[in-house]
Amino acid sequence: MRQQRVMATLLLESNRIIPVSRLVQATWGEAAPATAHHQIRKMVADPRNRLGGDGQSIVTDGPGYRLVVEEDQLDLRLFDIRTRRAGEAEKSGLPVNAMTELQEALVLWTGQALSGIDGPVIRAAAELLDERRVAVTERLMDLRLTHGHARDLISDLRALVSEHPLRETLWTQLILALYRSNRHAEALRTYEDVRCLLADELGVDPGIELMKLHELILRNDPALDCPSRRTKSGISVPVRVRPCALPYDVPDFTGREAELQRLTSMVAENVDRTALIVSIDGMAGIGKTAFAVHAAHKLAQLFPDGQLFVDFNGFTPGRKPIPVAEAIATLLSTLGVPDGEIPHDLQGRIAMWRMKTAGRRLLLLLDNTADAAQVLPLLPGMPGCVTLITSRAPLSGVDGAVLLSLELLTPDESRALLERVVGTMRLATERDRNDADRDVRAPAPCPAYCRRPAQQPSTVECRPHGRPPGERTAAAERAGCGGPERPRGDCAFLRFAEAGSATALPPVGAAPRA
């Protein structure tokens, strides 16, 4: 338990120097023994050795220790990134993007923060983290209420007020959702419920916001109508959303210049002529998603009506491929269609999708597809639209699709990727230069393999491009990787993709798996 407190404290302030005195305070509080500093050193030494990385995962820095992590290795960091992006999207007038980022941020939570670890310092930090989660939840509910999702929020909001009965903001959102769903009597009864609760628990009346909402409901005030569907004249009109739902573009993308040039040329030649479909194929770990997302970001400005993205989970271990009906519902929601207005049957959804995409210039990225049947109903037919499809095998069943196969990186591209991932300074050391030369000279280098020298210790966790933890996928696959310059044990790094493994990779030098 004490070691958990030490590690939790280091993780909460990762990449920052934590003085030993603060670790002592977090571990023992005011009852620290005389040997506390010595025990802290022992508690840090054990995980440092297990994490490997030549002791660089937890470094001694001045008066304390610093836990070194990358942005995508810690859920808390990803949560911060997602919420920051949501704020930027709101400021840019992209509410759908903001809602997507907030939903992705909340997916990272699987329960209360630091559950099972006690101590006053840890619990205080946990309470702050839980408060942040609830605040982000309230922010998401407010955005969804503003953009016509009231009916779909009621059950979620009921669960939230049950979990947090004294959060007046959640009660306000529940009452407003009921009102906008034409359940006025329930809205008024819910107000009475919260009024009695506050009086019994705290001896106070509801706050100003709740009381004002109650008065507006009694008057059936038009001000309570959904603002995203109301004009100055009070007439409801459809809202045309221009979403950008692409995943982030990896900053160290390297190579593929010829393929990028070919793709951009095809798009330029087909603008305003026909709907262009490009099927991007290649073996696992070759970088299909990274290439497609990178290209989509470069082409985004040519598609002012929106850029859409769907991951079909075609080859994601442990997850079933997304049904076509669910994929269309996701796309319609991204285009601003309230959940309650999306048809329940597949044919109805296909018809609405075609109506919503008519007359728009859209870029559609359909990632990780298993077969043509998944994508055919989603293909826009309007001139000026471009659809990028990624799959491990060419989708021969998509008529008119241009096939673009990704080959293995050249040695020069592999080394350039290594330099961008691990840094030129690190490659300058004798040991890493030799390892890098060995890796890029080896037969059949692919992006997933080139990233391996940057991952220390040798056992690493793979996280797929643009997805939160929990949606892990195979990162590499290669055949015949034995050679005079690499032990056959390195084969194990790449074989796990074929087996559908998405857990820790085997240590370098381990026996290859069948």
Side-chain angles (χ1 to χ4, degrees), residues 436-500:
D437 290 340
R438 181 199 66 187
D439 289 334
V440 301
R441 288 198 307 269
C446 66
Y449 187 86
C450 291
R451 292 179 183 274
R452 184 182 65 83
Q455 306 289 347
Q456 294 295 336
S458 297
T459 299
V460 296
E461 179 189 66
C462 285
R463 188 164 285 173
H465 178 96
R467 301 176 192 141
E471 295 185 26
R472 297 182 174 84
T473 186
E477 171 189 10
R478 195 154 65 93
C481 55
E485 298 189 35
R486 176 179 295 109
R488 286 201 59 83
D490 283 1
C491 247
F493 169 74
L494 298 153
R495 288 177 183 269
F496 86 111
E498 192 66 62

Side-chain angles (χ1 to χ4, degrees), residues 244-422:
C244 175
L246 298 174
Y248 71 92
D249 187 12
V250 290
D252 52 24
F253 184 88
T254 306
R256 308 293 189 200
E257 296 296 334
E259 292 91 340
L260 279 171
Q261 180 60 42
R262 181 187 173 195
L263 179 56
T264 53
S265 298
M266 283 190 292
V267 173
E269 293 171 1
N270 280 273
V271 169
D272 296 327
R273 290 175 55 191
T274 59
L276 176 64
I277 305 168
V278 181
S279 176
I280 303 165
D281 67 272
M283 67 187 225
I286 200 73
K288 299 180 292 296
T289 298
F291 172 80
V293 171
H294 184 71
H297 278 280
K298 285 186 171 296
L299 298 169
Q301 61 181 353
L302 300 177
F303 303 92
D305 292 322
Q307 305 91 46
L308 307 175
F309 174 85
V310 174
D311 179 3
F312 277 92
N313 290 331
F315 297 94
T316 304
R319 296 179 67 89
K320 294 182 179 179
I322 293 179
V324 174
E326 183 178 336
I328 297 178
T330 299
L331 291 169
L332 289 172
S333 181
T334 304
L335 287 174
V337 179
D339 294 354
E341 297 182 12
I342 297 176
H344 295 291
D345 63 296
L346 175 59
Q347 292 305 317
R349 291 183 178 185
I350 293 174
M352 176 175 280
W353 165 247
R354 290 173 178 167
M355 287 190 296
K356 291 295 182 181
T357 56
R360 295 192 183 211
R361 181 177 291 175
L362 295 169
L363 174 63
L364 179 61
L365 175 49
L366 306 178
D367 186 39
N368 198 10
T369 60
D371 51 48
Q374 283 184 313
V375 303
L376 288 175
L378 281 73
L379 299 177
M382 298 298 295
C385 291
V386 170
T387 303
L388 305 180
I389 307 169
T390 71
S391 183
R392 290 192 183 178
L395 296 184
S396 56
V398 181
D399 294 336
V402 178
L403 301 182
L404 180 61
S405 298
L406 297 186
E407 302 297 337
L408 297 160
L409 294 177
T410 66
D412 288 341
E413 288 175 334
S414 301
R415 186 175 182 86
L417 177 58
L418 277 171
E419 289 183 350
R420 297 195 69 177
V421 171
V422 306

Side-chain angles (χ1 to χ4, degrees), residues 161-182:
V161 298
S162 177
E163 184 180 356
H164 307 281
L166 300 181
R167 302 276 302 202
E168 291 192 39
T169 299
L170 293 173
W171 282 102
T172 300
Q173 292 170 337
L174 173 58
I175 294 169
L176 185 57
L178 288 167
Y179 178 83
R180 287 182 179 169
S181 302
N182 294 321

